[in-house]
Amino acid sequence: MTVLGQLNSGSADIIQVQFILFAVIFTCCVHHDGVAALSGLPSNLSATLLENYDPMLRPDFGETNLFVSVSVLVASIEHISEVNMDFTMTIYFTQIWRDNRLQFDFGPDIKQITFDGRLADELWLPDTYFPNDKNTKLQDITVKNRQIRIRADGTVTYGLRLTVTAQCLMQLERFPHDTQMCYFTMESYGYTTDDISLLWDEPYHISGVENASLPEFDITKYDVASKIQYFTSGDYDRLYICFWFERRIGYFAFQTYMPSILTVMLAWVSFWINHEASSARVALGITTVLTMTTVFSSTRSSLPRFSYVKAIDLYLLICFLFVFVALLEYAFVNYNFWKIRRNKQKTKEKPTTRITNKDKMYNELLPQDDVVAIRLSTFNDYTSNESPDLPKKAATELVKHMDIRTRNSESLRKRRSPRYSNHQSPVLGFDNERFSRTSASRTRKRRCAAITCRCKMPIGEEVIVIDQYARAVFLLAFIAMNGTYWWYYIGRATTISQECGL
C-alpha cells in the first residue's frame, strides 16, 4: 500500500483494473449457478416427456371423465353482416386440461415449460369445434399462432389465435332500431359427457369485450352459458358466448331518413306552383317519385330478402305514398280546373240568332251558294216585273234568311260578282254592297269573340282552394306520421326475451 501511495499518477489505472477483475469473477459465478440449475434437464426434453405416450388415447382413459376448461379473450369484433347473417371476430381461444402422463420433475426451479407450437401435433388434444361456425382461420403470421405450455403436475395449456365467422340469425322487424343477440358456441365433436366435460375457466371465462368496438353497433351486454346438447349419438356439453349488439341509427339517419324527408318536402313545393304550369308540376312530381324509388331500392339491396316488413321499409313506403299522392293531387286539381272552365263557358255563351223551323226550311232549300244567288236574282226579277206590290214584310223575311245562309259562306264572300255587288233592289231599296260589308263585319266580330273566349282563362279560385287545403293536410299528416313512427320505435324500450343459451 505504501508503494501504491507513492505512485499517485498510476492510482487511477490500478482502480479500473481491479473493477474489471471483480466484474469478470461475478459473471463467472452467476453463469456457474445457472448451468448447475439446468444441468438436470435431459438433452432431448420432448422425447423424454413423450416416452411411452399414446396421443390416440385421452388422459384418464377408462377411469373418469376429463374436465376441459375453456377461456376466450376477444381481441376484436370486425364485422356484422345482415345480408350473410353472420359476425366476424378475432379471439384467443385457450383450453386447459390435466394429463398425468406429462408430469415431470426437473428440480424445484422448473415449474412449467413452454414448447414450440409444433409439439401439439404429437399430443392428445380435445376435439373442440364450433357448431355455428361458417369459417374459421388459424392465424399463421409469422408462424402458426399456437401455444403449448406444460406444468410439472401435467396440466396442459393449449392456446390458439383464431379469426372466426359465426352464424347469427337476426330478427330485423325493427331494423334499423333493433338490438341483435349473436352467440358463439363450442362443443366436443366426438367425446360425450362420459368422456369429456367442457366448462368455463372461472373467473377468466371471457375477457376483452370491453375494448372491442364496432362502427355501426354498441355492445350493450355479453354473457356466457353452458348446457347439455342431446343427439342420437349421445349427450355433449356445449358452451355459449352471447353478445347483444344495439344498432346505431346515425348512418341511416343521414343516408335514408333525411333524404326521404327532404324528398317529401320537395314534393310539397308543387302546391305553391300555379296550377296552369302543368309541365313544372308534373316534372317535379315524377322526379320525387323516382327519387323515392331509388332510395327504397338501394336500402333493400343491402338487406336479405325477407317476407316481413321492416321498420325502414314502412317509413320509406309511407314517404313514397306521400310523394305519389302529391302527384295525384295535381291530377285532381287539373281535372277540376278544366271542368269548371267548361261549365263557365256554357253559362256565358248566348245565341246571337234565333233559328226557327222556317229558318231550317230555307237552309234545306238553299244547300249551295249558287242556289242562293239564283234565288236572289229570281226574287229581284220577280219583284220588278210581276209583283211590284209585294209586301215588304215578306221581302224583308226572305232577305233575312238569305243573310243567315250567306254570312258564313266563303264562296259568296270571295266571289265579287258585279251582278250582285252593285245591284240594288227597286222594290226594297236594298243595297247588296252594303249588305256584304255588314255581313263581313259581323263575321269578323264573331271570330274575334271566339278567339277572346279561347285565350281568356278562368281565374279558378276553386282549384286554388284545393292546393291551399293540401298544404295544411299534407304537413299535418306527415308530422303525425313521424311522431307516431319515432315514438313506437325509439321511445318504447326494446325488450329482448331471449336469454343466452336458450
Side-chain angles (χ1 to χ4, degrees):
M1 296 294 296
T2 305
V3 177
L4 293 175
Q6 295 177 355
L7 299 176
N8 292 328
S9 60
S11 59
D13 296 334
I14 295 173
I15 293 174
Q16 292 179 356
V17 171
Q18 289 177 352
F19 179 76
I20 294 173
L21 291 175
F22 176 77
V24 171
I25 294 172
F26 178 79
T27 304
C28 292
C29 292
V30 172
H31 178 69
H32 180 269
D33 293 338
V35 172
L38 297 176
S39 60
L41 291 177
S43 59
N44 193 347
L45 182 59
S46 61
T48 303
L49 286 176
L50 300 179
E51 186 177 359
N52 299 322
Y53 183 85
D54 188 1
M56 299 299 175
L57 295 178
R58 69 171 180 84
D60 301 331
F61 176 74
E63 298 178 4
T64 181
N65 60 339
L66 179 66
F67 292 93
V68 179
S69 300
V70 176
S71 64
V72 175
L73 171 62
V74 178
S76 63
I77 301 177
E78 288 86 6
H79 180 64
I80 299 177
S81 175
E82 294 84 4
V83 177
N84 299 323
M85 288 289 181
D86 57 26
F87 69 103
T88 303
M89 63 179 179
T90 300
I91 62 173
Y92 293 94
F93 180 64
T94 304
Q95 300 176 89
I96 302 174
W97 68 94
R98 184 172 181 177
D99 192 346
N100 294 325
R101 297 173 295 178
L102 298 177
Q103 294 179 355
F104 61 87
D105 185 9
F106 299 127
D109 297 330
I110 302 177
K111 298 180 180 180
Q112 65 180 10
I113 302 175
T114 301
F115 292 91
D116 187 87
R118 289 171 291 185
L119 183 65
D121 298 331
E122 302 178 14
L123 298 178
W124 177 90
L125 300 175
D127 59 344
T128 307
Y129 81 107
F130 310 128
N132 66 329
D133 165 60
K134 298 178 69 173
N135 184 26
T136 299
K137 178 184 178 182
L138 174 64
Q139 299 295 331
D140 54 1
I141 303 298
T142 60
V143 295
K144 291 184 179 179
N145 298 166
R146 297 188 297 180
Q147 179 191 49
I148 291 291
R149 182 177 298 155
I150 303 177
R151 296 179 183 177
D153 60 353
T155 302
V156 181
T157 301
Y158 180 51
L160 300 170
R161 182 169 177 260
L162 305 172
T163 299
V164 181
T165 301
Q167 184 181 19
C168 179
L169 299 179
M170 304 180 187
Q171 300 297 326
L172 299 176
E173 290 89 349
R174 299 176 62 90
F175 178 89
H177 315 284
D178 56 331
T179 299
Q180 301 296 334
M181 189 197 73
C182 299
Y183 57 87
F184 177 60
T185 58
M186 292 151 281
E187 183 182 319
S188 177
Y189 186 79
Y191 294 101
T192 63
T193 54
D194 297 332
D195 296 319
I196 289 182
S197 295
L198 283 179
L199 50 90
W200 288 109
D201 184 21
E202 298 293 345
Y204 310 106
H205 47 271
I206 183 172
S207 59
V209 183
E210 298 83 359
N211 300 324
S213 62
L214 288 166
E216 193 176 342
F217 293 89
D218 290 324
I219 304 176
T220 59
K221 181 183 176 182
Y222 64 94
D223 197 4
V224 295
S226 60
K227 63 179 293 186
I228 297 178
Q229 195 72 24
Y230 301 99
F231 295 100
T232 56
S233 58
D235 303 336
Y236 300 85
D237 285 328
R238 177 173 291 185
L239 303 181
Y240 291 84
I241 303 177
C242 301
F243 303 95
W244 279 264
F245 301 106
E246 183 179 359
R247 195 183 306 274
R248 297 175 183 173
I249 199 175
Y251 172 81
F252 297 94
F254 289 100
Q255 294 293 325
T256 303
Y257 287 105
M258 289 301 297
S260 301
I261 294 174
L262 294 177
T263 303
V264 174
M265 295 176 65
L266 183 63
W268 297 343
V269 175
S270 63
F271 301 152
W272 277 267
I273 299 178
N274 193 337
H275 58 274
E276 298 180 15
S278 58
S279 59
R281 295 189 65 163
V282 171
L284 181 61
I286 294 177
T287 302
T288 54
V289 169
L290 294 178
T291 302
M292 285 304 308
T293 304
T294 303
V295 173
F296 191 77
S297 301
S298 62
T299 303
R300 290 187 62 88
S301 63
S302 61
L303 295 174
R305 298 179 180 178
F306 288 117
S307 58
Y308 53 81
V309 178
K310 298 174 285 296
I312 195 170
D313 294 338
L314 180 62
Y315 190 87
L316 293 178
L317 181 61
I318 294 175
C319 291
F320 180 83
L321 291 178
F322 268 94
V323 298
F324 185 73
V325 171
L327 180 61
L328 293 182
E329 186 269 348
Y330 175 67
F332 180 72
V333 167
N334 192 56
Y335 171 77
N336 283 273
F337 170 75
W338 289 105
K339 182 179 179 180
I340 295 171
R341 181 178 182 275
R342 288 193 299 268
N343 293 337
K344 286 186 176 181
Q345 285 182 349
K346 290 180 181 179
T347 56
K348 290 182 179 180
E349 286 180 355
K350 294 181 180 180
T352 57
T353 306
R354 184 178 179 182
I355 301 176
T356 62
N357 293 332
K358 187 179 294 184
D359 297 333
K360 295 180 180 180
M361 179 187 69
Y362 277 106
N363 291 336
E364 293 176 357
L365 292 176
L366 305 175
Q368 297 179 357
D369 297 336
D370 294 336
V371 177
V372 175
I374 294 173
R375 292 295 177 91
L376 182 60
S377 176
T378 304
F379 170 75
N380 290 332
D381 294 340
Y382 177 77
T383 54
S384 61
N385 298 328
E386 297 183 2
S387 184
D389 298 329
L390 183 68
K392 292 185 178 181
K393 180 179 180 181
T396 304
E397 183 178 1
L398 180 59
V399 171
K400 178 184 67 175
H401 289 292
M402 180 273 298
D403 182 33
I404 295 173
R405 188 62 184 170
T406 58
R407 63 191 175 196
N408 293 326
S409 175
E410 292 291 337
S411 59
L412 287 180
R413 287 196 297 269
K414 293 179 180 180
R415 179 190 307 168
R416 297 289 186 262
S417 175
R419 177 183 177 184
Y420 303 106
S421 60
N422 299 322
H423 182 75
Q424 182 177 2
S425 175
V427 178
L428 300 178
F430 182 78
D431 192 351
N432 289 332
E433 183 178 0
R434 181 181 177 185
F435 166 73
S436 300
R437 290 195 302 269
T438 303
S439 178
S441 176
R442 290 179 180 177
T443 302
R444 287 193 300 271
K445 290 181 180 180
R446 293 191 186 97
R447 288 181 178 178
C448 293
I451 294 173
T452 304
C453 185
R454 287 195 301 269
C455 296
K456 184 179 180 181
M457 303 296 289
I459 299 177
E461 294 83 358
E462 296 84 352
V463 295
I464 296 177
V465 171
I466 298 176
D467 283 338
Q468 293 176 349
Y469 276 107
R471 298 169 191 172
V473 171
F474 271 71
L475 178 61
L476 295 177
F478 193 67
I479 293 175
M481 184 276 296
N482 277 274
T484 304
Y485 176 88
W486 294 108
W487 169 82
Y488 182 82
Y489 288 106
I490 299 297
R492 296 179 60 188
T494 303
T495 57
I496 302 177
S497 60
Q498 187 177 4
E499 298 294 335
C500 184
L502 298 180

